[in-house]
Amino acid sequence: MDMKWSLDELYTSFNSKEYQQDLKDFDEQMENFIKWTEENLNLLNNPKEKISEYLNRIIILSNLSSKLMAYPRLISSVEARNEIALKHLDKLQVKYAEITKPSVQFKKFINALDNLDEIINSSKSLKKHSFYLNEIKEKAQYLLSEEKEILISKMKNTGSKAWTNLQNILSSTLLVNIEIDGELKQLPLPVVRNMAHNKDEELRKKAYEAELKSYEKIEESSAAALNGIKGEVLTISNMRGFESPLDETLVNSRMDKETLDAMLSAIEEFLPVFHKYYNKKAQLLGHDNGLPFYDIFAPIGEMNKTYTFTDARKYIVKNFKTFSDKLANFADNAFEKRWIDAEPREGKRGGAFCSNLHPIKESRILSNFNGSFSNVITLAHELGHGYHGFCLKDETILNSRYPMPIAETASIFCETIVMNAALNEATKEEQLSILESSIQDASQVIVDIYSRFLFETELFEKRKDHSLSVNELKEIMLEAQKKAYGNGLDHNYLHPYMWVNKPHYYYGERNFYNFPYAFGLLFSKGLYVEYLDNQDTFVEKYDHFLGATGKNNIVDVAKLMDIDVHSPDFFRNSLKLIEKDIEKFVELVDNLK
């Protein structure tokens, strides 16, 4: 079965008639769009007609730009040195920056209207986009002058976005020197990081040490990129009048501080529960001072089964079918139509992601599949993202953009389906392995994500004052890990270079891309409990909820599932589910003696 994706549904090549035509259409549409806004948005007359026309034009442009940019972006994610793709992406980003001026004009036009609600209610098509329009009105207070907005947009292409591209190339092309079976090899970083899941403790430790050593080759460049990006973010955030980059992230995430604080307070309460798990795992592996970082992903138990890509497909589809035929058919189609690039290879970025391609109503998934159960779960996770996009396919592109905290809901829900199915059909011997794998993943999403949140908070605080050295960045990361992991990890074996490894730190427009994962996990856990209690009515309600995520804030969309996210008790109840798993894990380990 082919483990490389097909991008032909977007375009067959940069020279194809379709790509060249869309490029031409995009240029023409952009030129007409700029001209139309200049001629029509300087006066407030005929607002209903003008808003309708603007929406029609921006939808056409957004579909075109989304499709055009996805193509080189996806190619460069698996071919980091593909100069043609990078060149096209760079050109498209420069072209797209031209949308800033008409966009700012429209925002100012909307902000100047005193009767926006009345105008929206007078038109069926405007009602469909009421959330989009009202959000523009609410965010208008953070708008700068037209000239400044245009300047910022253009300078980002040679600022934060250029730093992002540099870091992507550095990490994607980094080769790790490692000795295996007496032979010195140079292997891609994702291949070496996957060794963390290997049964051989010596290899896990060797891979960890080789990985850390390899970062020395790119540490100064990575630090420069990180300082450049975070410095830009602080400058712009301050200019706009946000209290902090975190405040800006919350506004853009459609999430309020009350929700974040409710979740973080619950997480902090439950950290000792996770420390108990890490210590029990350390004890099982023969460590006295907590778990060394290189053994966080060490496999436990007797489930040594490996999966072919075809096995993974069958297993995921079978278990998705227990939830709904719609979900199972979606996943099966993704494998069949080659929407997934799963083969690890040099020049391909590490980790995994899903890119929802709204204009063609499809998705593309990148993973680095090596046959482990963990990799099967990763595929289920990314297919969940794809299913989320599938539930939004009939919305306009303006109503398909959901905020970061909700982004992880469907993915983690799909993980849970597969994980629980595996637990239910496992033998006693396999249960320990599957349960530990589930707890391991949850601990990453709660404990490690919390450490990343602490790191980024401190990074922004210090970056206000100066550019941080490599040693400062390593020190902040170690302190964040010590606070989050407590006595659960051996403090002599932490990961000072996690700031180099995680690409999310290098997205200038996605700061604090950490707490949304924790929200997604705990929100999904709460949803899964409701699913078990109300299976007959849940599926339809859940699909409707996913379809509404692009046109509601977090508080309101949660209410569609009867959830109050301002209550720490909601998050505590979800954490208690993980605590039950940890207690069962401890009991299983103690029974091994």
Side-chain angles (χ1 to χ4, degrees):
M1 189 175 173
D2 203 326
M3 289 174 68
K4 292 181 182 177
W5 57 26
S6 164
L7 300 182
D8 290 351
E9 292 74 16
L10 282 167
Y11 305 102
T12 52
S13 74
F14 289 111
N15 295 321
S16 70
K17 189 172 74 177
E18 292 80 9
Y19 183 84
Q20 292 299 322
Q21 185 61 51
D22 277 358
L23 209 54
K24 186 184 171 191
D25 288 349
F26 179 74
D27 286 340
E28 286 175 4
Q29 290 284 350
M30 181 67 83
E31 189 182 332
N32 292 336
F33 185 56
I34 292 168
K35 188 179 174 188
W36 181 86
T37 51
E38 282 175 351
E39 289 173 357
N40 290 276
L41 297 184
N42 49 353
L43 295 173
L44 296 177
N45 61 323
N46 303 321
K48 183 172 84 170
E49 291 76 13
K50 288 179 179 179
I51 294 171
S52 293
E53 181 61 23
Y54 178 90
L55 292 179
N56 290 336
R57 288 174 180 267
I58 195 71
I59 286 168
I60 291 168
L61 261 176
S62 296
N63 279 317
L64 274 171
S65 65
S66 175
K67 192 180 171 194
L68 283 164
M69 281 201 258
Y71 188 60
R73 191 176 283 132
L74 290 170
I75 288 174
S76 62
S77 71
V78 293
E79 299 173 36
R81 288 196 176 98
N82 189 317
E83 291 178 13
I84 296 169
L86 292 169
K87 191 173 168 184
H88 275 272
L89 183 58
D90 190 50
K91 281 184 174 179
L92 285 163
Q93 285 174 338
V94 170
K95 284 176 186 285
Y96 192 71
E98 292 177 22
I99 208 165
T100 305
K101 185 177 180 181
S103 175
V104 172
Q105 286 174 323
F106 183 67
K107 287 170 184 175
K108 290 186 178 294
F109 178 83
I110 290 292
N111 194 42
L113 296 171
D114 294 325
N115 59 336
L116 182 61
D117 287 340
E118 188 185 317
I119 296 164
I120 290 170
N121 289 325
S122 69
S123 160
K124 192 177 176 182
S125 65
L126 295 191
K127 272 186 195 173
K128 195 162 67 171
H129 293 99
S130 62
F131 180 81
Y132 173 81
L133 294 168
N134 279 308
E135 191 174 42
I136 287 173
K137 181 94 171 172
E138 286 165 23
K139 285 186 179 179
Q141 61 182 303
Y142 304 113
L143 262 182
L144 300 173
S145 69
E146 195 177 296
E147 292 76 15
K148 283 179 183 174
E149 290 288 355
I150 292 165
L151 185 62
I152 286 169
S153 179
K154 288 184 175 177
M155 291 190 75
K156 275 184 180 180
N157 287 327
T158 51
S160 58
K161 287 179 182 175
W163 285 119
T164 301
N165 290 337
L166 171 66
Q167 177 61 17
N168 183 41
I169 291 166
L170 288 171
S171 58
S172 296
T173 58
L174 180 63
L175 293 174
V176 181
N177 297 317
I178 185 167
E179 188 184 311
I180 298 174
D181 299 328
E183 186 185 346
L184 189 64
K185 296 186 176 184
Q186 278 199 323
L187 297 174
L189 182 61
V191 173
V192 175
R193 278 184 59 77
N194 262 333
M195 291 173 186
H197 300 274
N198 198 282
K199 287 187 291 183
D200 184 347
E201 182 185 350
E202 190 183 331
L203 181 62
R204 293 196 301 269
K205 187 175 182 183
K206 195 182 282 186
Y208 159 80
E209 289 169 347
E211 179 198 346
L212 294 190
K213 184 76 179 163
S214 74
Y215 291 130
E216 292 176 12
K217 301 178 201 173
I218 62 170
E219 62 180 4
E220 293 293 349
S221 305
S222 297
L226 192 59
N227 277 303
I229 291 164
K230 297 308 187 190
E232 178 186 285
V233 170
L234 280 164
T235 301
I236 297 171
S237 183
N238 185 51
M239 284 172 70
R240 292 195 186 287
F242 289 103
E243 286 178 26
S244 65
L246 176 59
D247 179 39
E248 183 173 6
T249 297
L250 286 169
V251 169
N252 291 333
S253 298
R254 301 172 186 165
M255 185 171 175
D256 55 18
K257 188 76 163 48
E258 193 177 344
T259 301
L260 179 64
D261 289 344
M263 182 182 76
L264 290 178
S265 66
I267 286 173
E268 285 160 6
E269 282 175 34
F270 276 77
L271 285 176
V273 172
F274 292 92
H275 301 162
K276 183 179 179 182
Y277 152 69
Y278 284 121
N279 276 303
K280 185 54 70 172
K281 183 168 182 176
Q283 179 192 325
L284 186 61
L285 294 171
H287 302 295
D288 297 326
N289 301 314
L291 197 64
F293 205 94
Y294 60 81
D295 272 351
I296 285 177
F297 303 107
I300 298 292
E302 294 302 312
M303 189 171 181
N304 299 320
K305 185 182 177 185
T306 56
Y307 296 76
T308 65
F309 194 52
T310 302
D311 291 338
R313 172 184 180 171
K314 288 176 182 172
Y315 193 71
I316 288 167
V317 171
K318 179 184 82 173
N319 289 315
F320 278 5
K321 201 170 180 65
T322 64
F323 179 76
S324 75
D325 287 343
K326 185 178 171 184
L327 177 60
N329 293 339
F330 168 80
D332 200 42
N333 186 59
F335 282 99
E336 185 65 30
K337 298 285 178 64
R338 292 176 54 214
W339 293 4
I340 304 168
D341 197 295
E343 180 189 72
R345 57 193 181 274
E346 193 176 329
K348 179 177 175 178
R349 61 159 279 182
F353 69 75
C354 173
S355 178
N356 287 330
L357 309 173
H358 194 271
I360 62 169
K361 300 188 177 185
E362 294 183 8
S363 300
R364 288 300 178 272
I365 289 165
L366 177 144
S367 75
N368 285 276
F369 186 81
N370 70 354
S372 70
F373 182 65
S374 172
N375 285 172
V376 175
I377 292 296
T378 298
L379 280 175
H381 177 102
E382 299 306 333
L383 284 162
H385 281 303
Y387 185 70
H388 194 163
F390 180 69
C391 287
L392 285 157
K393 67 182 173 61
D394 295 327
E395 295 286 343
T396 67
I397 195 165
L398 302 182
N399 283 341
S400 72
R401 294 162 179 165
Y402 46 82
M404 286 197 297
I406 289 293
E408 296 306 319
T409 305
S411 53
I412 296 171
F413 193 92
C414 282
E415 269 188 48
T416 309
I417 292 170
V418 174
M419 187 67 76
N420 285 356
L423 267 175
N424 288 337
E425 65 191 34
T427 62
K428 271 269 191 202
E429 291 76 26
E430 291 171 332
Q431 272 189 0
L432 178 65
S433 174
I434 297 169
L435 188 64
E436 195 280 326
S437 179
S438 174
I439 297 166
Q440 182 191 111
D441 290 345
S443 300
Q444 280 293 291
V445 174
I446 300 299
V447 185
D448 197 67
I449 286 294
Y450 182 61
S451 78
R452 295 187 224 172
F453 177 80
L454 294 174
F455 169 80
E456 196 159 2
T457 302
E458 186 65 13
L459 168 60
F460 272 122
E461 197 55 42
K462 287 193 181 298
R463 186 63 187 86
K464 288 177 188 174
D465 182 62
H466 62 282
S467 289
L468 286 82
S469 68
V470 168
N471 284 335
E472 277 182 286
L473 290 165
K474 286 161 71 176
E475 189 181 317
I476 295 169
M477 181 55 79
L478 289 174
E479 283 307 308
Q481 287 172 357
K482 286 173 186 175
K483 187 169 179 183
Y485 284 97
N487 65 4
L489 289 196
D490 184 337
H491 290 190
N492 294 312
Y493 293 97
L494 298 173
H495 198 310
Y497 284 107
M498 195 52 79
W499 55 274
V500 181
N501 175 258
K502 294 298 174 188
H504 293 147
Y505 292 126
Y506 298 86
Y507 299 152
E509 291 170 3
R510 283 191 184 181
N511 300 288
F512 288 99
Y513 201 50
N514 34 59
F515 70 79
Y517 283 97
F519 181 92
L521 173 71
L522 299 178
F523 194 74
S524 289
K525 290 280 181 189
L527 285 177
Y528 198 77
V529 171
E530 188 184 329
Y531 161 59
L532 294 177
D533 290 342
N534 303 288
Q535 292 191 26
D536 293 343
T537 58
F538 182 87
V539 175
E540 191 178 337
K541 191 176 174 184
Y542 176 73
D543 286 351
H544 171 69
F545 154 79
L546 290 178
T549 50
K551 50 188 182 185
N552 282 282
N553 62 39
I554 299 286
V555 171
D556 291 338
V557 83
K559 283 176 184 170
L560 293 176
M561 302 303 291
D562 304 314
I563 289 170
D564 176 13
V565 290
H566 284 161
S567 168
D569 282 341
F570 167 71
F571 298 104
R572 287 188 190 111
N573 289 335
S574 293
L575 285 159
K576 280 174 188 171
L577 291 174
I578 304 169
E579 184 177 25
K580 276 185 187 174
D581 286 346
I582 290 172
E583 284 168 358
K584 189 173 180 185
F585 169 74
V586 169
E587 183 189 328
L588 285 169
V589 171
D590 288 342
N591 288 339
L592 291 174
K593 296 170 187 174

